[in-house]
Amino acid sequence: MKIIGIDYDKCSGCKNCIPDCSRALFISDPSGKTIRLADEAGRCNICGKCVAVCKEDAILWEGDWENDVESYPWVKDYQENVSYDALMELFKAKRSVRQYKSKPIPDELLGKVFEAMRYASSADNRRAWNFSVVSDSALIKRLSQESIKMVHSYIGFPTSDAALDYYNSVDKDPIFYKAPAVIFLTTGPTGSMPQVDAGIVLTYGQLAAHSVGLATCWIGMAHGLGLNMEMMKEIGLEGRIDGVLTIGYPAVKYHQTPPREPLKVVGLKSDTTK
């Protein structure tokens, strides 16, 4: 995507683009009547907020993959997108699930999860994410076994062989929990804050997954697979792993919100978050 200018036949002169651009690339001429894009140095990070803030659709841009800009004229205030109560219900109901049905996930549902992640924020709008979905059960098992070898002492075994022998004997997977699919994320060299960005984008995915009846869990013990070039080839990605999610239909149902200690926030009254 590239911002290339302003359509003056549409521009109303409202100047909303000027304060909303974090890089101050829109300026008024000396008369204050005409706005222009001043990006001679190519500093735009293509965040697209100028497109979003312009209700006249006067910002000119290029990009074959950005042909789906949507307007939502029915929304007057932020809270009209979704109510706080409805959002809190989702937050409170979302769990890290480690029990899954073997039922395959349709590509349509996985596509919805990734569509949600597409709109996640990232540092400096770098969006340097690379994703892979592994749904081959044999490959997931191999990836689990390689992870067990790396973390055997962490999970309480003196050797990797002891850990593998035990989990094979009880037919359990302590890494991916026999989930039908696993999402891997790596960050390219242009990433500004890769681990923060990974947390943001995968949280979007986790919440979206919950909304379509799927469950997820962040698998920190699988991050070490990024050091195994052979396994990374099978995953289809390169570089350091910054995020791993199991995803599938939950084989467990939770009936209550687990206890959570109220946050202690400097500058707020102690009972604000209760």
Side-chain angles (χ1 to χ4, degrees), residues 45-208:
N45 68 347
I46 59 173
C47 70
K49 288 204 300 177
C50 56
V51 175
V53 79
C54 182
K55 67 179 181 179
E56 309 299 340
D57 193 24
I59 303 298
L60 300 174
W61 51 272
E62 295 176 342
D64 293 338
W65 49 269
E66 284 284 3
N67 60 354
D68 60 346
V69 173
E70 299 177 18
S71 61
Y72 37 94
W74 59 90
V75 176
K76 297 180 180 178
D77 298 298
Y78 279 130
Q79 64 266 31
E80 293 186 41
N81 287 275
V82 59
S83 72
Y84 178 82
D85 290 342
L87 191 60
M88 284 302 295
E89 286 185 13
L90 173 59
F91 288 163
K92 290 180 178 181
K94 185 268 172 192
R95 303 266 69 79
S96 293
V97 173
R98 296 174 176 83
Q99 300 179 64
Y100 297 96
K101 297 177 181 179
S102 58
K103 179 181 177 181
I105 307 170
D107 282 350
E108 178 186 0
L109 287 191
L110 284 173
K112 287 184 176 181
V113 172
F114 281 102
E115 181 69 3
M117 287 195 272
R118 177 184 174 195
Y119 291 95
S121 304
S122 65
D124 200 31
N125 198 44
R126 298 293 180 89
R127 308 180 59 79
W129 306 304
N130 304 297
F131 297 98
S132 174
V133 180
V134 176
S135 55
D136 180 274
S137 59
L139 176 53
I140 292 175
K141 184 174 182 178
R142 290 199 302 276
L143 294 170
S144 175
Q145 290 175 334
E146 291 301 319
S147 295
I148 290 172
K149 292 178 184 178
M150 295 180 180
V151 301
H152 69 270
S153 60
Y154 175 77
I155 57 179
F157 292 88
T159 66
S160 59
D161 287 340
L164 289 170
D165 288 344
Y166 172 76
Y167 286 112
N168 285 334
S169 70
V170 296
D171 192 28
K172 289 188 179 295
D173 178 358
I175 306 297
F176 302 122
Y177 306 99
K178 296 190 175 182
V182 182
I183 297 172
F184 291 89
L185 179 156
T186 62
T187 306
T190 61
S192 176
M193 300 176 68
Q195 291 177 312
V196 173
D197 290 349
I200 295 171
V201 71
L202 290 182
T203 296
Y204 270 55
Q206 288 185 294
L207 295 173

Side-chain angles (χ1 to χ4, degrees), residues 94-97 100 205-206 209 214-218 245-248:
K94 185 268 172 192
R95 303 266 69 79
S96 293
V97 173
Y100 297 96
Q206 288 185 294
L214 299 173
T216 60
C217 185
W218 190 300
L245 292 183
T246 50
I247 185 167

